[in-house]
Amino acid sequence: MNNFVYDIPTKVYFGKDQLTHLGEELKKYGKKVLLTYGGGSIKKTGLYDKVIAQIKTAGLEVYELSGIKPNPSIQSVRQGAQLCKEHGIEVVLAVGGGSTIDASKWIAAGACVEHDPWDFFTKWSPVEKALPILSVLTLAATGSEMNGGGVISNEDTLDKKGRVEQILRPKVSFLDPTNTYTVSAYQTACGSADILSHVMEVYFHMDDDLYMLACVMEGLMKTVIKYAPIAMNEPDNYEARANLMWASSWAINRFVNGGRQHAWSCHPMEHQLSAVYDITHGLGLAILTPRWMEYCLEENTLSKYVQFGVNVFGIDSKLSDREIANQAIEKTKEFLFETLGLQSTFAEIGIGKEHFSMMAEKACGGKSINGFKTLYKEDVEKILEMCL
């Protein structure tokens, strides 16, 4: 068990009608606000008007950057950073899902440097300063509202890169489950797959760790399995939406990590998929995850599958370890592809093997993924082929 430091400076307003506190919170950080959002759904739902009303009532000046894509582009980051510099922006307000919040984090960092924001990912330029960020969440998935991570795509180089910096954690986040009522069943399914993967990337490891954290992770996974189908079938079910929203935040705010430092496996593989094919992140994770589980199942990893199968899916502990492990993988597939109704193969979404070699090399960072099982380029290629 490793030592660790846990520090979450994000203030969360959770529940209905908490947006009434937005103006007072923004005023703490500045008078000029950059409002960022995606394709305009917040205008259709009326959330945009509520946000603008709060900003205006607080006497703040607002500038806007819209059109942030589901796989946020470095172009949006560059555009936002330039707007901040030109207008003396003091605080960034992201209204949307993880893509909008991720882009806003790197806009906030890019506004404070003279170099190209892509240098944060290719040259690992230091992030020493950033504008304060606040968020209003509209999709339970990435957990970006309560962590310092952000993933950005570069369409010119077919790269998708992520980085975590404590300074990029939102100062304040507003989590109102009613803002997710209009999320489609498909996007709810993809978001739920993303939440589940965030937990599994940490849970599947053979290091000794706090028993309490294992129980928390199992509870988070059971929460997704229970409430995702309810939210899909009853989109305005407050209990379901609230549970998914809070599970999303706690799946990846580093609480469940404890002292674990191992690399994630499915996420770097999926990042290459969505960099090349621009698919929904959660869908890519759903297709990859059970095949990664199959590939990593060995005698020395068997016990983790048994723990997962018994404690999360309720598989009979009297069965042999191998039977439990195989059933755990099958139940994972059943949840992702039958309960959530997501496509189960690359072929179904028009992905072939022509880019597998390049994607595998990028996923490994030129070396390997040192996660649950160490994966080299040839291992990643095999997992990708299993998804066809």
Side-chain angles (χ1 to χ4, degrees):
M1 189 182 303
N2 298 317
N3 295 344
F4 61 90
V5 174
Y6 182 66
D7 180 19
I8 296 292
T10 302
K11 181 178 183 179
V12 175
Y13 284 90
F14 191 97
K16 298 177 182 179
D17 303 321
Q18 294 279 37
L19 202 63
T20 55
H21 299 283
L22 176 60
E24 67 190 67
E25 290 293 346
L26 283 170
K27 286 175 66 174
K28 295 177 182 178
Y29 298 100
K31 295 182 179 180
K32 290 189 175 184
V33 181
L34 177 66
L35 170 62
T36 61
Y37 54 98
S41 62
I42 64 169
K43 292 186 176 181
K44 297 176 184 177
T45 63
L47 179 58
Y48 172 86
D49 291 335
K50 293 178 182 178
V51 168
I52 290 295
Q54 279 289 311
I55 294 173
K56 295 297 185 181
T57 300
L60 307 179
E61 189 176 348
V62 61
Y63 298 84
E64 297 185 23
L65 175 67
S66 62
I68 296 175
K69 299 177 180 179
N71 287 309
S73 169
I74 189 63
Q75 295 296 349
S76 290
V77 174
R78 288 167 176 154
Q79 186 179 355
Q82 187 60 34
L83 281 172
C84 290
K85 293 175 182 178
E86 289 176 358
H87 298 289
I89 298 295
E90 297 168 285
V91 55
V92 179
L93 173 62
V95 181
S99 297
T100 297
I101 302 173
D102 280 11
S104 299
K105 290 174 181 177
W106 293 106
I107 288 170
C112 299
V113 296
E114 295 304 319
H115 61 71
D116 181 13
W118 191 239
D119 289 351
F120 287 128
F121 301 96
T122 56
K123 299 179 180 179
W124 217 250
S125 298
V127 184
E128 297 174 333
K129 186 179 179 182
L131 298 178
I133 306 150
L134 281 75
S135 75
V136 179
L137 187 65
T138 62
L139 174 66
T142 69
S144 295
E145 67 278 358
M146 206 174 175
N147 67 48
V151 182
I152 302 297
S153 295
N154 188 323
E155 297 167 350
D156 295 330
T157 63
L158 296 181
D159 282 312
K160 186 174 181 179
K161 296 179 179 289
R163 183 171 172 181
V164 179
E165 293 291 340
Q166 181 78 350
I167 197 173
L168 299 182
R169 289 185 183 274
K171 301 296 185 183
V172 185
S173 286
F174 292 82
L175 277 61
D176 181 346
T178 65
N179 287 332
T180 65
Y181 282 0
T182 57
V183 176
S184 69
Y186 171 72
Q187 288 297 340
T188 299
C190 290
S192 298
D194 195 10
I195 300 169
L196 193 64
S197 180
H198 290 158
V199 182
M200 294 177 73
E201 294 272 31
V202 180
Y203 182 80
F204 277 86
H205 202 268
M206 301 311 296
D207 285 352
D208 291 332
D209 209 340
L210 290 166
Y211 171 79
M212 179 272 286
L213 290 178
C215 292
V216 171
M217 285 187 274
E218 289 160 4
L220 287 169
M221 290 186 280
K222 290 169 72 173
T223 296
V224 175
I225 292 166
K226 176 178 179 178
Y227 284 107
I230 297 174
M232 291 172 66
N233 293 318
E234 304 172 33
D236 58 352
N237 185 307
Y238 186 86
E239 180 182 351
R241 293 296 192 182
N243 273 278
L244 288 176
M245 181 171 270
W246 203 221
S248 170
S249 297
W250 282 89
I252 191 173
N253 68 8
R254 298 200 64 81
F255 173 75
V256 298
N257 294 62
R260 295 186 182 188
Q261 301 295 329
H262 70 279
W264 289 14
S265 300
C266 292
H267 273 71
M269 288 190 281
E270 198 293 318
H271 286 165
Q272 302 313 314
L273 278 172
S274 48
V276 175
Y277 296 101
D278 198 28
I279 64 172
T280 302
H281 178 56
L283 174 60
L285 290 171
I287 296 173
L288 281 163
T289 295
R291 280 69 186 221
W292 165 74
M293 293 174 71
E294 289 173 336
Y295 194 80
C296 294
L297 179 55
E298 299 172 344
E299 284 303 314
N300 65 318
T301 60
L302 185 59
S303 61
K304 181 55 68 172
Y305 291 79
V306 173
Q307 181 184 358
F308 173 70
V310 172
N311 294 346
V312 176
F313 283 112
I315 298 171
D316 187 355
S317 61
K318 295 178 182 177
L319 296 174
S320 71
D321 287 356
R322 182 64 64 164
E323 285 179 299
I324 295 172
N326 289 334
Q327 282 196 29
I329 295 171
E330 289 306 309
K331 285 188 175 293
T332 301
K333 289 182 179 179
E334 180 182 319
F335 174 71
L336 294 169
F337 306 137
E338 296 180 26
T339 303
L340 297 186
L342 295 170
Q343 294 99 324
S344 62
T345 66
F346 289 161
E348 292 177 70
I349 55 176
I351 294 178
K353 62 186 298 182
E354 57 272 12
H355 298 297
F356 282 3
S357 178
M358 177 269 288
M359 291 192 296
E361 184 171 358
K362 285 188 175 182
C364 292
K367 297 179 182 178
S368 63
I369 301 173
N370 299 315
F372 181 43
K373 174 182 177 179
T374 300
L375 302 175
Y376 298 94
K377 177 186 174 184
E378 56 269 25
D379 297 305
V380 174
E381 286 191 69
K382 289 176 183 176
I383 293 171
L384 294 173
E385 289 171 0
M386 291 167 67
C387 297
L388 289 169

